[in-house]
Amino acid sequence: MDKKRVIGNLDNAGLPYEYDKRAYGTVPLDGSRAPFQWVSEVAYKNAHRIVTRGYDTTELMEQGYGVTDVMFVNFQARIPTVAEDQMLNYILILSLEDGLSMPAAMSRMTARSKTFLTQACGASILAFGHAYGAYSAFGNMLLETLEKAESEGKGMEAAATALVARKLGDPALGVSDLMLKDPAAKRIFARAEKLGVAGKYIAFTKEIVKAAQRASSIPIDLDLLGATGAAIMDLGFTPEATWAIIAVTRSFGAGAHYIEEVEREGHTRLGETLTPKELYDGPDDRPVPPLADRDKVAKPAKTHTPDEWKAAFEKRKQLHGSGFAVVEEIHDPSKKTGIKTLGKKI
Amino acid sequence: MSRQPMLSKKTSIAYKTEEKTVLRGYDLSELAEAGYSFCDAMFVLFQGRIPTEAEEKMLAYEMGSFLEHSMSPSAASAIAVTAGRPNLPTAIAAGVMTFGGVHGPGAAHGYMMNKYIERAHREGKTLDEMAKILVDEYMDAGMPVMGMGQPQHRDGDPRAEPIHLKQEELGTNGAYHEFQRAVEKHFHARRKREGKSYVGVNVVGAGNAALSDLGFAPNAAWCIGSVSRAYSCAVHAIFSMKKGRAWAASKSEPMVQMLDLSMIKYVGPEDREVPTQEERQQYAEAQKKSGEYKKWVI
């Protein structure tokens, strides 16, 4: 390996180090720090026990607790009150099934490829984004708004009015025209109040509903996102936990859709599905230029000035599927995380 | 705004109108208002019926037992996925998708039981006789008997036998329970005769027998087991996202991280020079001819 030879640009003086002198071989084990372990606050197990948050799971079951109780233990490290457990059961029943909505559609499409059921269930969970099932966005919106209102000494009504001024029409607001005829959402709040588990999130969401109804030009009301999201947060679950719990619960329903799809429709082969030309609205059919004519036909993508860049960018936005018309906010949380003390204690 | 489904097709599971969502004929909101539990609703979903109280209790016991299993392939996958900080559902989905032929193979175990019980019916044999046939056929073929053994719980899965006992206590034990018990009896006896170590029943063996006696089909039982685990996969993923270090490779963490470079142990071909394009054809032909590469092909 000591033969000196230049490969491509790898002798360029601008490189951060000399590439022909780079070492081969793996990095030795790091003995200066505690060795890697699966660090968890959530659970551990040994040959004879499975323990979550300090409770042996088999002993939990033998004491008469059920799956919803274990969810409180798992997510919140506590045993719920009877009323809290009843409320969670209520919410999960309403979250179990939603007809042929996107999680079911994704499960069924996955099933058609002849997959395991678990792939279809997993795919259904991926349907939960920041519009459909926007529980993280909704919950964090409540948390941040209430925190800000408290620090500013503002009441819930004023905070809701300000929030609605910014967010009316947002799919994560929890208020929309989706449930004007379906009483299920409002029943959730009524049940939480009857069980004595309604708290500040339900109270605040009610204010949001009132503010949104005042501001909206069309009839709107509490929707299922707002109702289940606020009620489950009043049970102590975080926005992320809420997002996960509802998505996973729907996945049971998606499993039934997988089974029905296989039972009733069978499988689809590669190349079997046609897309009729009537559904196509892209460039007209055109001849493929000979390879020899590539230089005559091809135009480089690069631009040189901001004006050129802007013109090219706007033109590219016209081609659906190119990606230029989409702007996403993708946060880098890497600087905010990390356990700075754990290894030192091991 | 179109409220039409992306897929338009017949379904006997549920429908949704502007007024209500109906599962197998029952309005979901009314089901919840009437005081039924989430586990009751699972029976409605997969079986189209309200269960007995004992059946509901058995399912709650099972799902609670399945929910958390600490470091297993599902939790490890969910944690690993969070290293890149994608949206949370991707980590949960990955956890569910680890359930295949070895980790919680609920459907396969269920199909196996159905196949052999059907054979007992056809051949006029008892469940005990057919269980012995199953054990002998699997072990003669060198195949593992599904529902037996768990690599981390060498003396027997701590959840498994209590599930059997709970089934007996609640009176939900039927043909599947009897058959699974018989499989275990013959499995243990044969291993003892052959001088092999004890291998206990696992949670698939015990749990799936119980789910089958509750009326769940193999795939429905698999769904219940694997998706129940997804709740805890979510907890592990959220813990990792909120309290673990993104990328899982930081040198400034006091503990060596999961993806630290020193975690790599390489056992592949020796380091070698990349051939030039001029050398390529001759090099490639010689490499192909030698066939040495074949031992690395996977």
Side-chain angles (χ1 to χ4, degrees):
Chain A
M1 288 295 155
D2 53 359
K3 191 173 81 173
K4 170 80 174 174
R5 67 174 190 172
V6 175
I7 301 175
N9 292 320
L10 298 185
D11 65 337
N12 190 296
L15 292 168
Y17 39 79
E18 293 180 68
Y19 273 57
D20 62 319
K21 290 183 179 166
R22 290 174 300 160
Y24 276 94
T26 55
V27 174
L29 285 171
D30 183 350
S32 65
R33 293 184 288 163
F36 170 69
Q37 288 183 292
W38 292 98
V39 176
S40 180
E41 288 178 358
V42 179
Y44 75 88
K45 64 183 162 188
N46 58 36
H48 300 141
R49 280 186 188 277
I50 300 155
V51 178
T52 179
R53 307 291 197 175
Y55 299 112
D56 180 294
T57 58
T58 305
E59 290 176 9
L60 276 171
M61 294 305 100
E62 289 291 328
Q63 287 287 5
Y65 294 100
V67 58
T68 42
D69 294 306
V70 180
M71 287 164 67
F72 277 92
V73 172
N74 214 219
F75 281 96
Q76 298 189 36
R78 72 182 179 99
I79 303 285
T81 66
V82 172
E84 286 175 324
D85 183 56
Q86 286 171 344
M87 191 66 222
L88 183 59
N89 271 279
Y90 188 106
I91 293 167
L92 296 191
I93 289 174
L94 286 175
S95 306
L96 183 62
E97 182 49 50
D98 192 29
L100 292 171
S101 62
M102 288 193 293
M106 289 168 79
S107 174
R108 284 173 179 269
M109 285 193 281
T110 307
R112 291 291 283 270
S113 298
K114 197 173 183 181
T115 63
F116 282 162
L117 169 138
T118 46
Q119 286 170 257
C121 290
S124 77
I125 291 170
L126 299 178
F128 283 77
H130 294 305
Y132 184 91
Y135 289 97
S136 172
F138 171 78
N140 282 307
M141 175 188 78
L142 295 192
L143 283 180
E144 287 160 16
T145 309
L146 282 175
E147 191 180 342
K148 189 162 179 276
E150 278 167 25
S151 70
E152 293 172 355
K154 203 187 278 183
M156 278 190 181
E157 186 182 345
T161 303
L163 177 70
V164 165
R166 287 188 291 114
K167 294 269 190 180
L168 188 64
D170 188 305
L173 188 62
V175 188
S176 67
D177 60 353
L178 294 177
M179 297 196 71
L180 299 176
K181 297 178 184 172
D182 186 342
K186 285 199 277 275
R187 281 179 180 169
I188 292 173
F189 279 7
R191 174 59 58 140
E193 284 158 358
K194 188 175 171 188
L195 288 170
V197 296
K200 66 178 178 180
Y201 298 110
I202 286 180
F204 185 47
T205 303
K206 282 179 156 184
E207 292 298 333
I208 295 172
V209 172
K210 281 191 260 176
Q213 286 174 330
R214 284 195 300 271
S216 175
S217 58
I218 59 166
I220 53 174
D221 209 336
L222 178 69
D223 62 23
L224 204 59
L225 169 74
T228 50
I232 204 167
M233 283 179 67
D234 272 338
L235 296 179
F237 292 97
T238 65
E240 291 72 29
T242 304
W243 200 17
I245 287 169
I246 304 297
V248 172
T249 301
R250 182 62 56 76
S251 188
F252 290 109
H257 283 278
Y258 164 95
I259 294 169
E260 188 182 54
E261 186 72 14
V262 174
E263 286 171 347
R264 298 180 75 156
E265 304 287 349
H267 301 112
T268 302
R269 292 164 296 166
L270 178 73
E272 188 175 328
T273 305
L274 302 177
T275 305
K277 194 169 179 187
E278 303 88 79
L279 297 180
Y280 173 79
D281 61 358
D284 289 333
D285 296 353
R286 46 189 167 170
V288 177
L291 202 55
D293 291 347
R294 181 207 293 263
D295 289 345
K296 295 178 202 164
V297 181
K299 291 176 184 162
K302 67 180 178 181
T303 56
H304 298 280
T305 67
D307 289 346
E308 279 181 28
W309 173 87
K310 180 64 177 169
F313 196 99
E314 290 302 318
K315 190 177 174 190
R316 287 167 187 162
K317 279 166 70 172
Q318 304 307 312
L319 185 65
H320 294 311
S322 71
F324 284 93
V326 177
V327 179
E328 289 179 280
E329 286 182 35
I330 298 174
H331 300 290
D332 174 9
S334 58
K335 301 288 184 260
K336 296 178 185 171
T337 57
I339 298 173
K340 304 294 188 293
T341 58
L342 228 151
K344 288 171 186 165
K345 291 177 181 170
I346 293 172
Chain B
M1 175 184 63
S2 168
R3 296 190 70 177
Q4 295 304 306
M6 292 178 83
L7 296 179
S8 180
K9 57 171 57 211
K10 284 274 188 191
T11 176
S12 60
I13 297 170
Y15 73 88
K16 178 185 171 77
T17 64
E18 288 187 48
E19 291 80 21
K20 58 188 174 181
T21 301
V22 175
L23 175 68
R24 307 285 195 187
Y26 296 115
D27 181 325
L28 273 183
S29 179
E30 288 178 7
L31 207 58
E33 284 288 328
Y36 287 102
S37 73
F38 176 50
C39 290
D40 285 315
M42 298 292 287
F43 282 88
V44 176
L45 173 68
F46 285 110
Q47 299 184 41
R49 71 179 180 103
I50 304 287
T52 67
E53 205 175 322
E55 286 177 323
E56 191 276 341
K57 279 197 171 108
M58 189 66 229
L59 183 61
Y61 186 101
E62 283 231 38
M63 289 176 72
S65 297
F66 289 153
L67 196 143
E68 175 61 76
H69 196 214
S70 185
M71 285 311 132
S72 47
S74 44
S77 302
I79 291 167
V81 169
T82 66
R85 293 298 186 263
N87 277 320
L88 176 63
T90 54
I92 307 168
V96 177
M97 290 179 180
T98 60
F99 285 91
V102 173
H103 182 39
H109 177 265
Y111 291 130
M112 178 189 77
M113 288 197 297
N114 283 350
K115 182 177 146 190
Y116 280 87
I117 294 174
E118 161 75 23
R119 229 175 105 184
H121 163 71
R122 215 173 45 242
E123 297 175 11
K125 291 195 163 58
T126 66
L127 292 173
D128 187 74
E129 288 167 340
M130 192 47 68
K132 183 171 187 316
I133 291 170
L134 181 153
V135 168
D136 287 339
E137 286 183 355
Y138 270 73
M139 293 181 78
D140 289 349
M143 295 192 302
V145 176
M146 280 186 273
M148 304 302 297
Q150 209 283 350
Q152 294 172 326
H153 303 300
R154 302 296 299 271
D155 301 328
D157 191 309
R159 300 162 294 177
E161 185 58 27
I163 288 176
H164 275 336
L165 294 173
K166 182 56 70 175
Q167 238 196 309
E168 290 158 9
E169 178 196 320
L170 291 171
T172 63
N173 49 321
Y176 289 102
H177 177 273
E178 184 184 338
F179 184 67
Q180 176 63 31
R181 282 279 203 204
V183 166
E184 292 162 27
K185 181 183 77 176
H186 292 296
F187 176 81
H188 293 317
R190 176 159 169 171
R191 282 188 69 89
K192 194 173 181 183
R193 277 199 309 277
E194 294 176 354
K196 291 178 177 166
S197 62
Y198 175 81
V199 171
V201 60
N202 62 35
V203 82
V204 170
N208 214 41
L211 287 169
S212 299
D213 274 334
L214 292 177
F216 292 102
N219 254 332
W222 201 22
C223 182
I224 289 168
S226 53
V227 177
S228 293
R229 179 66 53 76
Y231 290 119
S232 74
C233 286
V235 182
H236 288 283
I238 294 169
F239 168 69
S240 179
M241 281 177 141
K242 290 189 174 179
K243 299 191 177 179
R245 180 70 80 115
W247 236 108
S250 172
K251 283 282 177 197
S252 55
E253 283 287 317
M255 187 183 80
V256 174
Q257 298 288 284
M258 179 174 67
L259 300 183
D260 188 87
L261 287 175
S262 66
M263 290 288 99
I264 303 167
K265 181 175 174 65
Y266 176 75
V267 294
E270 289 293 312
D271 300 337
R272 43 191 169 174
E273 283 184 357
V274 177
T276 65
Q277 284 298 321
E278 290 73 31
E279 296 163 343
R280 174 193 180 147
Q281 190 63 14
Q282 192 179 1
Y283 182 97
E285 284 171 2
Q287 195 172 43
K288 200 168 180 182
K289 192 176 173 187
S290 81
E292 190 270 348
Y293 73 94
K294 287 181 183 172
K295 73 178 181 186
W296 305 107
V297 175
I298 51 175

PDB file of all heavy atoms in Angstrom, chain B residues 27 31 34 42 46 90 96 108 115 122 124 128 147 162 179 198 217 220 235 237 247 252 258 269 280 285:
ATOM      1  N   ASP B  27     -71.459   1.998  15.946  1.00  0.00           N
ATOM      2  CA  ASP B  27     -70.952   3.371  15.962  1.00  0.00           C
ATOM      3  C   ASP B  27     -69.839   3.433  17.021  1.00  0.00           C
ATOM      4  O   ASP B  27     -70.083   3.118  18.198  1.00  0.00           O
ATOM      5  CB  ASP B  27     -72.109   4.313  16.326  1.00  0.00           C
ATOM      6  CG  ASP B  27     -71.686   5.779  16.347  1.00  0.00           C
ATOM      7  OD1 ASP B  27     -70.532   6.057  16.735  1.00  0.00           O
ATOM      8  OD2 ASP B  27     -72.509   6.636  16.001  1.00  0.00           O
ATOM      9  N   LEU B  31     -69.970   2.947  21.089  1.00  0.00           N
ATOM     10  CA  LEU B  31     -69.248   1.840  21.741  1.00  0.00           C
ATOM     11  C   LEU B  31     -68.474   2.372  22.948  1.00  0.00           C
ATOM     12  O   LEU B  31     -68.485   1.780  24.035  1.00  0.00           O
ATOM     13  CB  LEU B  31     -68.285   1.219  20.724  1.00  0.00           C
ATOM     14  CG  LEU B  31     -67.873  -0.242  20.870  1.00  0.00           C
ATOM     15  CD1 LEU B  31     -69.059  -1.193  20.858  1.00  0.00           C
ATOM     16  CD2 LEU B  31     -66.898  -0.620  19.760  1.00  0.00           C
ATOM     17  N   ALA B  34     -70.835   3.580  25.747  1.00  0.00           N
ATOM     18  CA  ALA B  34     -71.480   2.484  26.480  1.00  0.00           C
ATOM     19  C   ALA B  34     -70.551   1.867  27.522  1.00  0.00           C
ATOM     20  O   ALA B  34     -70.987   1.034  28.316  1.00  0.00           O
ATOM     21  CB  ALA B  34     -71.953   1.418  25.502  1.00  0.00           C
ATOM     22  N   MET B  42     -61.222  -4.367  19.968  1.00  0.00           N
ATOM     23  CA  MET B  42     -60.361  -5.226  19.137  1.00  0.00           C
ATOM     24  C   MET B  42     -61.130  -6.464  18.662  1.00  0.00           C
ATOM     25  O   MET B  42     -60.923  -6.949  17.553  1.00  0.00           O
ATOM     26  CB  MET B  42     -59.129  -5.665  19.925  1.00  0.00           C
ATOM     27  CG  MET B  42     -58.234  -4.526  20.366  1.00  0.00           C
ATOM     28  SD  MET B  42     -57.425  -3.726  18.992  1.00  0.00           S
ATOM     29  CE  MET B  42     -56.248  -4.977  18.602  1.00  0.00           C
ATOM     30  N   PHE B  46     -61.681  -7.298  14.615  1.00  0.00           N
ATOM     31  CA  PHE B  46     -61.213  -8.503  13.920  1.00  0.00           C
ATOM     32  C   PHE B  46     -62.259  -9.607  13.832  1.00  0.00           C
ATOM     33  O   PHE B  46     -62.157 -10.483  12.985  1.00  0.00           O
ATOM     34  CB  PHE B  46     -59.957  -9.047  14.613  1.00  0.00           C
ATOM     35  CG  PHE B  46     -58.732  -8.234  14.332  1.00  0.00           C
ATOM     36  CD1 PHE B  46     -58.146  -7.456  15.325  1.00  0.00           C
ATOM     37  CD2 PHE B  46     -58.150  -8.231  13.075  1.00  0.00           C
ATOM     38  CE1 PHE B  46     -57.016  -6.699  15.066  1.00  0.00           C
ATOM     39  CE2 PHE B  46     -57.022  -7.483  12.803  1.00  0.00           C
ATOM     40  CZ  PHE B  46     -56.454  -6.711  13.802  1.00  0.00           C
ATOM     41  N   THR B  90     -41.601   7.119  11.715  1.00  0.00           N
ATOM     42  CA  THR B  90     -40.716   6.213  10.977  1.00  0.00           C
ATOM     43  C   THR B  90     -40.040   5.224  11.922  1.00  0.00           C
ATOM     44  O   THR B  90     -39.856   4.054  11.585  1.00  0.00           O
ATOM     45  CB  THR B  90     -39.619   6.989  10.213  1.00  0.00           C
ATOM     46  OG1 THR B  90     -38.936   7.834  11.137  1.00  0.00           O
ATOM     47  CG2 THR B  90     -40.188   7.813   9.110  1.00  0.00           C
ATOM     48  N   VAL B  96     -42.253  -2.014  14.283  1.00  0.00           N
ATOM     49  CA  VAL B  96     -43.290  -2.998  13.923  1.00  0.00           C
ATOM     50  C   VAL B  96     -42.785  -3.921  12.820  1.00  0.00           C
ATOM     51  O   VAL B  96     -43.027  -5.130  12.825  1.00  0.00           O
ATOM     52  CB  VAL B  96     -44.572  -2.286  13.431  1.00  0.00           C
ATOM     53  CG1 VAL B  96     -45.612  -3.305  12.981  1.00  0.00           C
ATOM     54  CG2 VAL B  96     -45.164  -1.422  14.523  1.00  0.00           C
ATOM     55  N   ALA B 108     -47.112 -17.350  11.750  1.00  0.00           N
ATOM     56  CA  ALA B 108     -46.561 -18.654  11.379  1.00  0.00           C
ATOM     57  C   ALA B 108     -46.930 -19.710  12.419  1.00  0.00           C
ATOM     58  O   ALA B 108     -47.308 -20.838  12.076  1.00  0.00           O
ATOM     59  CB  ALA B 108     -45.044 -18.548  11.246  1.00  0.00           C
ATOM     60  N   LYS B 115     -52.905 -26.019  10.965  1.00  0.00           N
ATOM     61  CA  LYS B 115     -52.607 -27.112  10.036  1.00  0.00           C
ATOM     62  C   LYS B 115     -52.665 -28.464  10.750  1.00  0.00           C
ATOM     63  O   LYS B 115     -53.272 -29.418  10.255  1.00  0.00           O
ATOM     64  CB  LYS B 115     -51.205 -26.870   9.452  1.00  0.00           C
ATOM     65  CG  LYS B 115     -50.754 -27.882   8.434  1.00  0.00           C
ATOM     66  CD  LYS B 115     -49.386 -27.490   7.896  1.00  0.00           C
ATOM     67  CE  LYS B 115     -48.543 -28.716   7.585  1.00  0.00           C
ATOM     68  NZ  LYS B 115     -47.155 -28.364   7.292  1.00  0.00           N
ATOM     69  N   ARG B 122     -58.938 -34.554  10.483  1.00  0.00           N
ATOM     70  CA  ARG B 122     -59.030 -35.376   9.269  1.00  0.00           C
ATOM     71  C   ARG B 122     -58.650 -36.826   9.534  1.00  0.00           C
ATOM     72  O   ARG B 122     -59.259 -37.748   9.007  1.00  0.00           O
ATOM     73  CB  ARG B 122     -58.094 -34.759   8.214  1.00  0.00           C
ATOM     74  CG  ARG B 122     -58.612 -34.863   6.799  1.00  0.00           C
ATOM     75  CD  ARG B 122     -57.760 -34.112   5.787  1.00  0.00           C
ATOM     76  NE  ARG B 122     -56.337 -34.305   5.929  1.00  0.00           N
ATOM     77  CZ  ARG B 122     -55.466 -33.323   6.196  1.00  0.00           C
ATOM     78  NH1 ARG B 122     -55.903 -32.094   6.370  1.00  0.00           N
ATOM     79  NH2 ARG B 122     -54.167 -33.575   6.300  1.00  0.00           N
ATOM     80  N   GLY B 124     -58.589 -38.368  12.494  1.00  0.00           N
ATOM     81  CA  GLY B 124     -59.246 -38.958  13.655  1.00  0.00           C
ATOM     82  C   GLY B 124     -58.316 -39.142  14.844  1.00  0.00           C
ATOM     83  O   GLY B 124     -58.455 -40.106  15.606  1.00  0.00           O
ATOM     84  N   ASP B 128     -53.485 -34.496  21.589  1.00  0.00           N
ATOM     85  CA  ASP B 128     -52.220 -34.953  22.173  1.00  0.00           C
ATOM     86  C   ASP B 128     -51.423 -35.790  21.162  1.00  0.00           C
ATOM     87  O   ASP B 128     -50.224 -35.608  20.997  1.00  0.00           O
ATOM     88  CB  ASP B 128     -52.511 -35.763  23.446  1.00  0.00           C
ATOM     89  CG  ASP B 128     -51.232 -36.125  24.179  1.00  0.00           C
ATOM     90  OD1 ASP B 128     -50.645 -35.223  24.810  1.00  0.00           O
ATOM     91  OD2 ASP B 128     -50.788 -37.293  24.088  1.00  0.00           O
ATOM     92  N   GLY B 147     -42.720 -21.475  18.790  1.00  0.00           N
ATOM     93  CA  GLY B 147     -43.340 -21.265  20.101  1.00  0.00           C
ATOM     94  C   GLY B 147     -42.468 -21.734  21.249  1.00  0.00           C
ATOM     95  O   GLY B 147     -42.839 -21.579  22.406  1.00  0.00           O
ATOM     96  N   PRO B 162     -47.207 -17.840  32.783  1.00  0.00           N
ATOM     97  CA  PRO B 162     -48.324 -17.105  33.393  1.00  0.00           C
ATOM     98  C   PRO B 162     -49.495 -16.869  32.433  1.00  0.00           C
ATOM     99  O   PRO B 162     -50.642 -16.807  32.861  1.00  0.00           O
ATOM    100  CB  PRO B 162     -47.683 -15.780  33.836  1.00  0.00           C
ATOM    101  CG  PRO B 162     -46.258 -16.142  34.105  1.00  0.00           C
ATOM    102  CD  PRO B 162     -45.919 -17.157  33.038  1.00  0.00           C
ATOM    103  N   PHE B 179     -53.681 -28.058  22.777  1.00  0.00           N
ATOM    104  CA  PHE B 179     -52.720 -28.495  21.768  1.00  0.00           C
ATOM    105  C   PHE B 179     -51.327 -27.945  22.076  1.00  0.00           C
ATOM    106  O   PHE B 179     -50.331 -28.663  22.024  1.00  0.00           O
ATOM    107  CB  PHE B 179     -53.189 -28.033  20.383  1.00  0.00           C
ATOM    108  CG  PHE B 179     -52.317 -28.527  19.262  1.00  0.00           C
ATOM    109  CD1 PHE B 179     -52.253 -29.878  18.948  1.00  0.00           C
ATOM    110  CD2 PHE B 179     -51.560 -27.640  18.513  1.00  0.00           C
ATOM    111  CE1 PHE B 179     -51.449 -30.340  17.916  1.00  0.00           C
ATOM    112  CE2 PHE B 179     -50.755 -28.094  17.476  1.00  0.00           C
ATOM    113  CZ  PHE B 179     -50.703 -29.451  17.175  1.00  0.00           C
ATOM    114  N   TYR B 198     -32.920 -27.927  28.613  1.00  0.00           N
ATOM    115  CA  TYR B 198     -34.307 -27.463  28.684  1.00  0.00           C
ATOM    116  C   TYR B 198     -34.498 -26.195  27.842  1.00  0.00           C
ATOM    117  O   TYR B 198     -33.697 -25.270  27.915  1.00  0.00           O
ATOM    118  CB  TYR B 198     -34.673 -27.170  30.148  1.00  0.00           C
ATOM    119  CG  TYR B 198     -36.042 -26.572  30.328  1.00  0.00           C
ATOM    120  CD1 TYR B 198     -37.178 -27.380  30.340  1.00  0.00           C
ATOM    121  CD2 TYR B 198     -36.208 -25.197  30.494  1.00  0.00           C
ATOM    122  CE1 TYR B 198     -38.442 -26.837  30.505  1.00  0.00           C
ATOM    123  CE2 TYR B 198     -37.469 -24.641  30.653  1.00  0.00           C
ATOM    124  CZ  TYR B 198     -38.587 -25.470  30.658  1.00  0.00           C
ATOM    125  OH  TYR B 198     -39.825 -24.928  30.817  1.00  0.00           O
ATOM    126  N   ALA B 217     -57.721 -14.980  14.216  1.00  0.00           N
ATOM    127  CA  ALA B 217     -57.025 -15.707  13.151  1.00  0.00           C
ATOM    128  C   ALA B 217     -55.527 -15.450  13.280  1.00  0.00           C
ATOM    129  O   ALA B 217     -55.112 -14.489  13.939  1.00  0.00           O
ATOM    130  CB  ALA B 217     -57.536 -15.230  11.797  1.00  0.00           C
ATOM    131  N   ALA B 220     -54.496 -11.893  12.499  1.00  0.00           N
ATOM    132  CA  ALA B 220     -55.065 -10.952  13.470  1.00  0.00           C
ATOM    133  C   ALA B 220     -54.283 -11.027  14.781  1.00  0.00           C
ATOM    134  O   ALA B 220     -53.966  -9.999  15.397  1.00  0.00           O
ATOM    135  CB  ALA B 220     -56.538 -11.271  13.699  1.00  0.00           C
ATOM    136  N   VAL B 235     -42.033   4.609  22.917  1.00  0.00           N
ATOM    137  CA  VAL B 235     -41.431   5.159  24.137  1.00  0.00           C
ATOM    138  C   VAL B 235     -39.904   5.130  24.030  1.00  0.00           C
ATOM    139  O   VAL B 235     -39.220   6.108  24.356  1.00  0.00           O
ATOM    140  CB  VAL B 235     -41.907   4.377  25.387  1.00  0.00           C
ATOM    141  CG1 VAL B 235     -41.310   4.986  26.642  1.00  0.00           C
ATOM    142  CG2 VAL B 235     -43.420   4.392  25.488  1.00  0.00           C
ATOM    143  N   ALA B 237     -38.157   5.121  21.338  1.00  0.00           N
ATOM    144  CA  ALA B 237     -37.740   6.085  20.313  1.00  0.00           C
ATOM    145  C   ALA B 237     -37.785   7.513  20.859  1.00  0.00           C
ATOM    146  O   ALA B 237     -36.864   8.310  20.628  1.00  0.00           O
ATOM    147  CB  ALA B 237     -38.645   5.956  19.088  1.00  0.00           C
ATOM    148  N   TRP B 247     -27.269  11.127  15.831  1.00  0.00           N
ATOM    149  CA  TRP B 247     -26.216  10.464  15.066  1.00  0.00           C
ATOM    150  C   TRP B 247     -25.563   9.325  15.856  1.00  0.00           C
ATOM    151  O   TRP B 247     -24.888   8.481  15.305  1.00  0.00           O
ATOM    152  CB  TRP B 247     -25.121  11.437  14.609  1.00  0.00           C
ATOM    153  CG  TRP B 247     -24.893  11.429  13.134  1.00  0.00           C
ATOM    154  CD1 TRP B 247     -25.249  12.407  12.264  1.00  0.00           C
ATOM    155  CD2 TRP B 247     -24.284  10.394  12.347  1.00  0.00           C
ATOM    156  NE1 TRP B 247     -24.907  12.045  10.978  1.00  0.00           N
ATOM    157  CE2 TRP B 247     -24.304  10.827  11.001  1.00  0.00           C
ATOM    158  CE3 TRP B 247     -23.728   9.162  12.637  1.00  0.00           C
ATOM    159  CZ2 TRP B 247     -23.797  10.056   9.957  1.00  0.00           C
ATOM    160  CZ3 TRP B 247     -23.222   8.396  11.606  1.00  0.00           C
ATOM    161  CH2 TRP B 247     -23.245   8.845  10.285  1.00  0.00           C
ATOM    162  N   SER B 252     -17.945  13.420  22.281  1.00  0.00           N
ATOM    163  CA  SER B 252     -18.001  14.177  23.529  1.00  0.00           C
ATOM    164  C   SER B 252     -18.960  13.566  24.547  1.00  0.00           C
ATOM    165  O   SER B 252     -19.087  14.064  25.655  1.00  0.00           O
ATOM    166  CB  SER B 252     -18.362  15.635  23.257  1.00  0.00           C
ATOM    167  OG  SER B 252     -19.545  15.705  22.528  1.00  0.00           O
ATOM    168  N   MET B 258     -23.394   4.145  20.160  1.00  0.00           N
ATOM    169  CA  MET B 258     -23.773   2.976  19.356  1.00  0.00           C
ATOM    170  C   MET B 258     -23.074   2.952  17.995  1.00  0.00           C
ATOM    171  O   MET B 258     -22.678   1.896  17.511  1.00  0.00           O
ATOM    172  CB  MET B 258     -25.294   3.004  19.165  1.00  0.00           C
ATOM    173  CG  MET B 258     -25.885   1.893  18.344  1.00  0.00           C
ATOM    174  SD  MET B 258     -27.692   1.963  18.355  1.00  0.00           S
ATOM    175  CE  MET B 258     -28.020   3.488  17.458  1.00  0.00           C
ATOM    176  N   PRO B 269     -12.788  -8.761   2.907  1.00  0.00           N
ATOM    177  CA  PRO B 269     -11.534  -8.887   2.139  1.00  0.00           C
ATOM    178  C   PRO B 269     -10.473  -7.898   2.627  1.00  0.00           C
ATOM    179  O   PRO B 269     -10.790  -6.821   3.126  1.00  0.00           O
ATOM    180  CB  PRO B 269     -11.975  -8.550   0.713  1.00  0.00           C
ATOM    181  CG  PRO B 269     -13.437  -8.819   0.676  1.00  0.00           C
ATOM    182  CD  PRO B 269     -13.943  -8.498   2.040  1.00  0.00           C
ATOM    183  N   ARG B 280      -8.630  -2.038 -15.664  1.00  0.00           N
ATOM    184  CA  ARG B 280      -9.925  -2.581 -15.243  1.00  0.00           C
ATOM    185  C   ARG B 280     -10.331  -3.909 -15.894  1.00  0.00           C
ATOM    186  O   ARG B 280     -10.656  -4.873 -15.211  1.00  0.00           O
ATOM    187  CB  ARG B 280     -11.006  -1.542 -15.516  1.00  0.00           C
ATOM    188  CG  ARG B 280     -12.384  -2.040 -15.254  1.00  0.00           C
ATOM    189  CD  ARG B 280     -13.415  -1.112 -15.829  1.00  0.00           C
ATOM    190  NE  ARG B 280     -14.741  -1.603 -15.576  1.00  0.00           N
ATOM    191  CZ  ARG B 280     -15.789  -0.817 -15.367  1.00  0.00           C
ATOM    192  NH1 ARG B 280     -15.628   0.485 -15.372  1.00  0.00           N
ATOM    193  NH2 ARG B 280     -16.968  -1.326 -15.177  1.00  0.00           N
ATOM    194  N   GLU B 285     -11.457  -9.498 -15.273  1.00  0.00           N
ATOM    195  CA  GLU B 285     -11.513 -10.861 -15.826  1.00  0.00           C
ATOM    196  C   GLU B 285     -10.757 -11.836 -14.929  1.00  0.00           C
ATOM    197  O   GLU B 285     -11.231 -12.947 -14.654  1.00  0.00           O
ATOM    198  CB  GLU B 285     -10.939 -10.876 -17.247  1.00  0.00           C
ATOM    199  CG  GLU B 285     -11.901 -10.285 -18.269  1.00  0.00           C
ATOM    200  CD  GLU B 285     -11.271 -10.084 -19.632  1.00  0.00           C
ATOM    201  OE1 GLU B 285     -10.076 -10.438 -19.815  1.00  0.00           O
ATOM    202  OE2 GLU B 285     -11.962  -9.553 -20.522  1.00  0.00           O
TER     203      GLU B 285
END
